[in-house]
Amino acid sequence: MLIAPSYRAPLFALLLSGGLLIGAWVSQYGFGYQPCTMCYWQRHIHKAVVIVAVLALIMARMGLPLHKALTLLLVFLLLGSAGLAFYHAGVEFKWWDGPKTCSGGSGALPDFSGGDPFANLDKKIMPPSCSDAVWVFLGLSMATWNALLSLGGAVVTAVLGFRHAKR
């Protein structure tokens, strides 16, 4: 069964960003890799992609032409994700400094194993530093992979969303 052309771009963007979000959550909650501040910023963009993609699919299903504008918005969101992720990768590779909010701490949570569960509640929990890559595969950090996948996703979304428009 073929997917209608108006569904291809938003469906691809939904699967890409949804998959990247699930991967981030699995790495955090399944493997214990705590995200830094910039990691959270990147997740917010992917959440926006998921929401816009679902809206575009609904618009396409209803036959409303607005789904084209939403497809363009998806491309821009994915380019924004790629740009932010590339900036984050540059911070990790020490090419430039990150924002002051990314200085981070140990990434470890306070010790709640003692007898008094309220003893640590007033302590500040610092996320890991944005300049420390917590996971590397093939020499590339999670931020670098996000940059590459988001950039590729923007190109594929644009091709899928606007290729058939010329016919």
Side-chain angles (χ1 to χ4, degrees):
M1 182 166 135
L2 293 175
I3 298 172
S6 59
Y7 293 107
R8 291 179 189 155
L11 184 60
F12 174 80
L14 174 67
L15 293 174
L16 175 70
S17 282
L20 288 172
L21 278 171
I22 290 169
W25 291 328
V26 167
S27 71
Q28 179 180 357
Y29 298 111
F31 299 110
Y33 295 123
Q34 293 302 312
C36 70
T37 302
M38 290 178 77
C39 294
Y40 281 117
W41 295 349
Q42 291 169 73
R43 290 180 188 190
H44 295 323
I45 296 176
H46 287 297
K47 291 173 193 174
V49 170
V50 167
I51 291 167
V52 172
V54 168
L55 287 173
L57 288 168
I58 291 169
M59 296 293 181
R61 176 74 176 137
M62 295 172 64
L64 299 174
L66 187 58
H67 75 276
K68 287 285 190 195
L70 293 177
T71 299
L72 185 61
L73 180 57
L74 288 171
V75 171
F76 285 127
L77 284 170
L78 288 168
L79 287 173
S81 173
L84 179 59
F86 177 74
Y87 175 61
H88 186 188
V91 170
E92 290 175 337
F93 286 115
K94 314 292 189 267
W95 295 339
W96 45 72
D97 291 331
K100 299 243 185 277
T101 58
C102 287
S103 59
S106 67
L109 296 174
D111 181 20
F112 290 104
S113 62
D116 183 9
F118 300 109
N120 291 310
L121 291 180
D122 61 346
K123 293 183 181 174
K124 190 172 184 178
I125 299 174
M126 295 291 293
S129 173
C130 296
S131 62
D132 299 329
V134 296
W135 180 87
V136 176
F137 179 67
L138 298 176
L140 303 175
S141 67
M142 261 192 259
T144 310
W145 283 108
N146 184 26
L148 295 172
L149 290 170
S150 293
L151 182 60
V155 170
V156 171
T157 300
V159 168
L160 290 175
F162 300 106
R163 177 179 57 189
H164 70 281
K166 296 177 184 175
R167 293 179 186 166

